[in-house]
Amino acid sequence: MNKLPDIRLRALEPEDLDLLYQIENDRSLWNVGATNVPYSRYTLHDYIATSNDDIYADRQVRLIIEDADGQTVGVADLVRFEPQHLRAEAGIVVMDRWRRQHYGEAALIQLADYGRRVLRLHQLYAVVAADNDAALRLFAKAGFQEQSVLKEWLFDGRQYADAKVMQRFL
């Protein structure tokens, strides 16, 4: 087993606007998430400024992943929060420079711990493209298990692709 890097998850700051802008407007990421339109700096600035950092109010929480030196490594999300069922969808983006160095695994483990201890969630899940082997391995390493296949669930503008539901009970 590889030693996981030291990371911390922190709230969004105004200084994170450029990173958020880069991630949200990276068309190569649109097929792995729910976004398929570009976001303006104004929209993202407004999101950072008006977010309550309260999953009950916002139904989501977005956290910055930092390495031990305070360098921004990526973003981890809990979205589609369902308070009645105490579950949320987990999402993660690790910037290219830090990929394949176990930062994603460390972040998902911390995100699950935060969900269990602080938010008192019962479960996390992720919807992952069936052909995204790297993401499937990442979620599996972080304790998520494949539960089902959603046929023709994701559309990239040209064709439909299957997705797998990964789930972790907390």
Side-chain angles (χ1 to χ4, degrees), residues 76-101:
D77 299 313
L78 292 175
V79 299
R80 293 181 183 81
F81 170 60
E82 294 288 341
Q84 178 182 356
H85 305 293
L86 296 173
R87 68 173 172 243
E89 182 176 354
I92 187 165
V93 174
V94 175
M95 305 306 291
D96 287 339
R97 177 179 168 194
W98 287 276
R99 289 185 184 163
R100 291 173 285 286
Q101 298 176 47

mmCIF file of all heavy atoms in Angstrom, residues 76-101:
data_model
loop_
_atom_site.group_PDB
_atom_site.id
_atom_site.type_symbol
_atom_site.label_atom_id
_atom_site.label_comp_id
_atom_site.label_asym_id
_atom_site.label_seq_id
_atom_site.Cartn_x
_atom_site.Cartn_y
_atom_site.Cartn_z
ATOM 1 N N ALA A 76 -12.661 19.111 -4.284
ATOM 2 C CA ALA A 76 -13.528 17.985 -3.905
ATOM 3 C C ALA A 76 -14.912 18.550 -3.591
ATOM 4 O O ALA A 76 -15.029 19.601 -2.958
ATOM 5 C CB ALA A 76 -12.962 17.245 -2.702
ATOM 6 N N ASP A 77 -15.936 17.854 -4.045
ATOM 7 C CA ASP A 77 -17.311 18.326 -3.881
ATOM 8 C C ASP A 77 -18.189 17.292 -3.217
ATOM 9 O O ASP A 77 -18.001 16.086 -3.419
ATOM 10 C CB ASP A 77 -17.970 18.578 -5.252
ATOM 11 C CG ASP A 77 -17.302 19.619 -6.083
ATOM 12 O OD1 ASP A 77 -16.997 20.685 -5.552
ATOM 13 O OD2 ASP A 77 -17.110 19.362 -7.286
ATOM 14 N N LEU A 78 -19.161 17.768 -2.489
ATOM 15 C CA LEU A 78 -20.329 16.982 -2.112
ATOM 16 C C LEU A 78 -21.513 17.741 -2.688
ATOM 17 O O LEU A 78 -21.750 18.900 -2.339
ATOM 18 C CB LEU A 78 -20.465 16.854 -0.591
ATOM 19 C CG LEU A 78 -19.387 16.029 0.099
ATOM 20 C CD1 LEU A 78 -19.571 16.080 1.605
ATOM 21 C CD2 LEU A 78 -19.408 14.586 -0.396
ATOM 22 N N VAL A 79 -22.243 17.119 -3.614
ATOM 23 C CA VAL A 79 -23.366 17.756 -4.288
ATOM 24 C C VAL A 79 -24.586 16.852 -4.193
ATOM 25 O O VAL A 79 -24.504 15.724 -3.733
ATOM 26 C CB VAL A 79 -23.036 18.081 -5.765
ATOM 27 C CG1 VAL A 79 -21.864 19.056 -5.850
ATOM 28 C CG2 VAL A 79 -22.725 16.823 -6.554
ATOM 29 N N ARG A 80 -25.704 17.370 -4.642
ATOM 30 C CA ARG A 80 -26.961 16.623 -4.624
ATOM 31 C C ARG A 80 -27.242 16.041 -3.238
ATOM 32 O O ARG A 80 -27.679 14.897 -3.096
ATOM 33 C CB ARG A 80 -26.972 15.534 -5.697
ATOM 34 C CG ARG A 80 -26.975 16.089 -7.095
ATOM 35 C CD ARG A 80 -27.018 15.007 -8.160
ATOM 36 N NE ARG A 80 -26.952 15.578 -9.476
ATOM 37 C CZ ARG A 80 -25.825 15.962 -10.083
ATOM 38 N NH1 ARG A 80 -24.666 15.826 -9.472
ATOM 39 N NH2 ARG A 80 -25.858 16.481 -11.289
ATOM 40 N N PHE A 81 -26.970 16.848 -2.223
ATOM 41 C CA PHE A 81 -27.205 16.442 -0.839
ATOM 42 C C PHE A 81 -28.689 16.221 -0.604
ATOM 43 O O PHE A 81 -29.515 17.056 -0.963
ATOM 44 C CB PHE A 81 -26.670 17.516 0.111
ATOM 45 C CG PHE A 81 -27.056 17.317 1.540
ATOM 46 C CD1 PHE A 81 -26.690 16.172 2.226
ATOM 47 C CD2 PHE A 81 -27.777 18.284 2.213
ATOM 48 C CE1 PHE A 81 -27.048 15.990 3.556
ATOM 49 C CE2 PHE A 81 -28.130 18.124 3.537
ATOM 50 C CZ PHE A 81 -27.764 16.978 4.214
ATOM 51 N N GLU A 82 -29.009 15.092 -0.014
ATOM 52 C CA GLU A 82 -30.383 14.728 0.333
ATOM 53 C C GLU A 82 -30.477 14.597 1.848
ATOM 54 O O GLU A 82 -30.111 13.557 2.414
ATOM 55 C CB GLU A 82 -30.771 13.401 -0.329
ATOM 56 C CG GLU A 82 -30.846 13.451 -1.831
ATOM 57 C CD GLU A 82 -32.060 14.218 -2.321
ATOM 58 O OE1 GLU A 82 -33.023 14.400 -1.536
ATOM 59 O OE2 GLU A 82 -32.034 14.656 -3.479
ATOM 60 N N PRO A 83 -30.954 15.644 2.549
ATOM 61 C CA PRO A 83 -30.983 15.587 4.019
ATOM 62 C C PRO A 83 -31.893 14.499 4.575
ATOM 63 O O PRO A 83 -31.597 13.934 5.628
ATOM 64 C CB PRO A 83 -31.458 16.980 4.432
ATOM 65 C CG PRO A 83 -32.023 17.608 3.224
ATOM 66 C CD PRO A 83 -31.429 16.918 2.035
ATOM 67 N N GLN A 84 -32.967 14.178 3.885
ATOM 68 C CA GLN A 84 -33.865 13.133 4.369
ATOM 69 C C GLN A 84 -33.166 11.779 4.400
ATOM 70 O O GLN A 84 -33.362 10.986 5.317
ATOM 71 C CB GLN A 84 -35.111 13.054 3.493
ATOM 72 C CG GLN A 84 -36.066 11.954 3.922
ATOM 73 C CD GLN A 84 -37.287 11.862 3.018
ATOM 74 O OE1 GLN A 84 -37.467 12.656 2.107
ATOM 75 N NE2 GLN A 84 -38.127 10.881 3.284
ATOM 76 N N HIS A 85 -32.325 11.535 3.410
ATOM 77 C CA HIS A 85 -31.682 10.233 3.285
ATOM 78 C C HIS A 85 -30.214 10.248 3.729
ATOM 79 O O HIS A 85 -29.563 9.203 3.710
ATOM 80 C CB HIS A 85 -31.783 9.738 1.839
ATOM 81 C CG HIS A 85 -33.191 9.709 1.338
ATOM 82 N ND1 HIS A 85 -34.144 8.840 1.834
ATOM 83 C CD2 HIS A 85 -33.822 10.462 0.410
ATOM 84 C CE1 HIS A 85 -35.297 9.056 1.220
ATOM 85 N NE2 HIS A 85 -35.128 10.036 0.356
ATOM 86 N N LEU A 86 -29.720 11.427 4.084
ATOM 87 C CA LEU A 86 -28.348 11.604 4.565
ATOM 88 C C LEU A 86 -27.319 11.017 3.601
ATOM 89 O O LEU A 86 -26.450 10.240 3.975
ATOM 90 C CB LEU A 86 -28.171 11.032 5.972
ATOM 91 C CG LEU A 86 -29.002 11.736 7.048
ATOM 92 C CD1 LEU A 86 -28.894 11.003 8.373
ATOM 93 C CD2 LEU A 86 -28.586 13.189 7.184
ATOM 94 N N ARG A 87 -27.441 11.442 2.334
ATOM 95 C CA ARG A 87 -26.489 11.014 1.320
ATOM 96 C C ARG A 87 -26.137 12.205 0.433
ATOM 97 O O ARG A 87 -26.880 13.177 0.354
ATOM 98 C CB ARG A 87 -27.028 9.868 0.490
ATOM 99 C CG ARG A 87 -28.183 10.256 -0.402
ATOM 100 C CD ARG A 87 -28.577 9.114 -1.341
ATOM 101 N NE ARG A 87 -29.795 9.479 -2.032
ATOM 102 C CZ ARG A 87 -30.950 8.845 -1.920
ATOM 103 N NH1 ARG A 87 -31.045 7.789 -1.142
ATOM 104 N NH2 ARG A 87 -31.997 9.257 -2.582
ATOM 105 N N ALA A 88 -24.992 12.079 -0.228
ATOM 106 C CA ALA A 88 -24.547 13.105 -1.166
ATOM 107 C C ALA A 88 -23.675 12.450 -2.232
ATOM 108 O O ALA A 88 -23.085 11.392 -2.004
ATOM 109 C CB ALA A 88 -23.764 14.203 -0.449
ATOM 110 N N GLU A 89 -23.605 13.112 -3.375
ATOM 111 C CA GLU A 89 -22.740 12.649 -4.446
ATOM 112 C C GLU A 89 -21.364 13.281 -4.272
ATOM 113 O O GLU A 89 -21.247 14.489 -4.069
ATOM 114 C CB GLU A 89 -23.320 13.038 -5.803
ATOM 115 C CG GLU A 89 -22.499 12.549 -6.968
ATOM 116 C CD GLU A 89 -23.129 12.856 -8.311
ATOM 117 O OE1 GLU A 89 -24.265 13.363 -8.368
ATOM 118 O OE2 GLU A 89 -22.457 12.578 -9.327
ATOM 119 N N ALA A 90 -20.342 12.463 -4.347
ATOM 120 C CA ALA A 90 -18.963 12.939 -4.222
ATOM 121 C C ALA A 90 -18.379 13.177 -5.603
ATOM 122 O O ALA A 90 -18.627 12.414 -6.533
ATOM 123 C CB ALA A 90 -18.115 11.911 -3.471
ATOM 124 N N GLY A 91 -17.603 14.240 -5.714
ATOM 125 C CA GLY A 91 -16.903 14.534 -6.951
ATOM 126 C C GLY A 91 -15.520 15.055 -6.638
ATOM 127 O O GLY A 91 -15.282 15.612 -5.567
ATOM 128 N N ILE A 92 -14.618 14.877 -7.573
ATOM 129 C CA ILE A 92 -13.240 15.297 -7.348
ATOM 130 C C ILE A 92 -12.575 15.630 -8.673
ATOM 131 O O ILE A 92 -12.836 14.977 -9.676
ATOM 132 C CB ILE A 92 -12.448 14.206 -6.589
ATOM 133 C CG1 ILE A 92 -11.072 14.715 -6.205
ATOM 134 C CG2 ILE A 92 -12.373 12.924 -7.384
ATOM 135 C CD1 ILE A 92 -10.391 13.849 -5.173
ATOM 136 N N VAL A 93 -11.757 16.672 -8.642
ATOM 137 C CA VAL A 93 -10.887 17.017 -9.763
ATOM 138 C C VAL A 93 -9.511 17.278 -9.179
ATOM 139 O O VAL A 93 -9.354 18.134 -8.308
ATOM 140 C CB VAL A 93 -11.372 18.277 -10.521
ATOM 141 C CG1 VAL A 93 -10.353 18.688 -11.584
ATOM 142 C CG2 VAL A 93 -12.735 18.054 -11.144
ATOM 143 N N VAL A 94 -8.537 16.505 -9.630
ATOM 144 C CA VAL A 94 -7.144 16.719 -9.248
ATOM 145 C C VAL A 94 -6.443 17.301 -10.468
ATOM 146 O O VAL A 94 -6.567 16.771 -11.579
ATOM 147 C CB VAL A 94 -6.469 15.407 -8.795
ATOM 148 C CG1 VAL A 94 -4.989 15.620 -8.512
ATOM 149 C CG2 VAL A 94 -7.174 14.851 -7.554
ATOM 150 N N MET A 95 -5.735 18.396 -10.275
ATOM 151 C CA MET A 95 -5.044 19.058 -11.365
ATOM 152 C C MET A 95 -3.963 18.129 -11.935
ATOM 153 O O MET A 95 -3.385 17.322 -11.204
ATOM 154 C CB MET A 95 -4.422 20.373 -10.889
ATOM 155 C CG MET A 95 -5.437 21.327 -10.237
ATOM 156 S SD MET A 95 -6.885 21.680 -11.257
ATOM 157 C CE MET A 95 -6.125 22.654 -12.531
ATOM 158 N N ASP A 96 -3.705 18.269 -13.226
ATOM 159 C CA ASP A 96 -2.782 17.374 -13.939
ATOM 160 C C ASP A 96 -1.466 17.147 -13.207
ATOM 161 O O ASP A 96 -0.998 16.018 -13.104
ATOM 162 C CB ASP A 96 -2.474 17.917 -15.343
ATOM 163 C CG ASP A 96 -3.647 17.768 -16.297
ATOM 164 O OD1 ASP A 96 -4.522 16.925 -16.041
ATOM 165 O OD2 ASP A 96 -3.682 18.513 -17.297
ATOM 166 N N ARG A 97 -0.870 18.189 -12.708
ATOM 167 C CA ARG A 97 0.457 18.107 -12.076
ATOM 168 C C ARG A 97 0.492 17.132 -10.892
ATOM 169 O O ARG A 97 1.534 16.560 -10.584
ATOM 170 C CB ARG A 97 0.864 19.505 -11.642
ATOM 171 C CG ARG A 97 2.166 19.575 -10.915
ATOM 172 C CD ARG A 97 2.505 20.999 -10.554
ATOM 173 N NE ARG A 97 3.614 21.016 -9.622
ATOM 174 C CZ ARG A 97 3.972 22.059 -8.932
ATOM 175 N NH1 ARG A 97 3.330 23.194 -9.073
ATOM 176 N NH2 ARG A 97 4.974 21.996 -8.098
ATOM 177 N N TRP A 98 -0.651 16.958 -10.220
ATOM 178 C CA TRP A 98 -0.686 16.137 -9.007
ATOM 179 C C TRP A 98 -1.373 14.783 -9.211
ATOM 180 O O TRP A 98 -1.529 14.022 -8.267
ATOM 181 C CB TRP A 98 -1.372 16.906 -7.878
ATOM 182 C CG TRP A 98 -0.514 18.015 -7.341
ATOM 183 C CD1 TRP A 98 0.464 17.896 -6.398
ATOM 184 C CD2 TRP A 98 -0.541 19.379 -7.714
ATOM 185 N NE1 TRP A 98 1.041 19.115 -6.169
ATOM 186 C CE2 TRP A 98 0.443 20.057 -6.963
ATOM 187 C CE3 TRP A 98 -1.295 20.118 -8.618
ATOM 188 C CZ2 TRP A 98 0.685 21.411 -7.087
ATOM 189 C CZ3 TRP A 98 -1.054 21.478 -8.735
ATOM 190 C CH2 TRP A 98 -0.067 22.098 -7.974
ATOM 191 N N ARG A 99 -1.764 14.487 -10.422
ATOM 192 C CA ARG A 99 -2.421 13.199 -10.679
ATOM 193 C C ARG A 99 -1.435 12.047 -10.541
ATOM 194 O O ARG A 99 -0.239 12.213 -10.714
ATOM 195 C CB ARG A 99 -3.059 13.190 -12.071
ATOM 196 C CG ARG A 99 -4.275 14.091 -12.123
ATOM 197 C CD ARG A 99 -4.980 14.009 -13.439
ATOM 198 N NE ARG A 99 -6.077 14.983 -13.442
ATOM 199 C CZ ARG A 99 -6.686 15.408 -14.521
ATOM 200 N NH1 ARG A 99 -6.342 14.935 -15.712
ATOM 201 N NH2 ARG A 99 -7.650 16.299 -14.434
ATOM 202 N N ARG A 100 -1.979 10.876 -10.221
ATOM 203 C CA ARG A 100 -1.207 9.637 -10.055
ATOM 204 C C ARG A 100 -0.178 9.724 -8.931
ATOM 205 O O ARG A 100 0.847 9.060 -8.955
ATOM 206 C CB ARG A 100 -0.560 9.217 -11.377
ATOM 207 C CG ARG A 100 -1.591 8.754 -12.410
ATOM 208 C CD ARG A 100 -1.016 8.489 -13.761
ATOM 209 N NE ARG A 100 -0.680 9.680 -14.515
ATOM 210 C CZ ARG A 100 -1.548 10.506 -15.097
ATOM 211 N NH1 ARG A 100 -2.832 10.250 -15.003
ATOM 212 N NH2 ARG A 100 -1.146 11.551 -15.768
ATOM 213 N N GLN A 101 -0.473 10.566 -7.944
ATOM 214 C CA GLN A 101 0.387 10.696 -6.775
ATOM 215 C C GLN A 101 -0.415 10.464 -5.483
ATOM 216 O O GLN A 101 0.016 10.843 -4.418
ATOM 217 C CB GLN A 101 1.058 12.072 -6.743
ATOM 218 C CG GLN A 101 1.959 12.325 -7.934
ATOM 219 C CD GLN A 101 2.532 13.726 -7.912
ATOM 220 O OE1 GLN A 101 3.020 14.190 -6.884
ATOM 221 N NE2 GLN A 101 2.468 14.406 -9.041
#
